[in-house]
Amino acid sequence: MALYEHVFLARPDVTSQQVESMVETFKGIIEGNGGKVEKVEPWGLKTLAYRIKKSRKAHFTLLNIDAPHPAVAEMERQMRLSEDVLRFMTIKVEALDPEPSAMMQKRDRDDRGERGDRGDRGPRGDRDRGERGDRDRGERFGGERRRREEETTSQGEES
């Protein structure tokens, strides 16, 4: 039998219990056609990158499936008929990962470690910019114009 990872998105107005019953229905289709669902991961209600069928959010669910292709094709056919399923995607894989997927792994800020590319910063997080000298905003952005104006006024006074 082939191994598949299948993700489907359910409408945001259905409840979590309804999503679970949809998962049970799809599991029944797979098992009725000689396959089995190895793992089910409900990822929860998440915001979509763009609207799908006028929805900004969706219930995401991952299924790891070990089944023949006709079983998966029947499940996809049933999903196309369901009004509660916004989108789905099935990918054939070499091996199923028994570990929790990246969406389920909780990442703490402490796990990321130090950011070494930030350099030495002061207590407010400011970079050390060194001495600025006379380069203030006026000198950098209007200094040349100011010098020309001073030259023209001094030339006008001489004549």
Side-chain angles (χ1 to χ4, degrees), residues 95-151:
L96 295 176
D97 190 13
E99 300 294 319
S101 66
M103 296 292 286
M104 295 299 288
Q105 293 173 355
K106 184 173 187 276
R107 295 182 54 112
D108 291 332
R109 289 188 172 273
D110 300 335
D111 293 343
R112 293 191 298 185
E114 280 296 315
R115 302 274 310 251
D117 61 340
R118 299 292 174 110
D120 293 334
R121 292 191 176 186
R124 284 190 17 223
D126 296 333
R127 290 184 183 92
D128 183 19
R129 292 190 172 99
E131 292 296 321
R132 285 183 174 255
D134 292 334
R135 295 181 328 166
D136 62 352
R137 187 169 177 84
E139 180 65 29
R140 281 186 15 216
F141 295 107
E144 185 65 31
R145 185 176 348 139
R146 199 175 310 122
R147 246 182 267 118
R148 272 189 266 135
E149 289 173 359
E150 289 172 3
E151 288 174 5

Side-chain angles (χ1 to χ4, degrees), residues 9 12 48 50-58 86-87:
L9 282 62
L48 299 171
Y50 53 89
R51 286 186 182 188
I52 299 176
K53 297 183 182 176
K54 300 181 182 178
S55 297
R56 291 186 182 272
K57 294 187 174 199
L86 297 175
R87 291 277 195 281

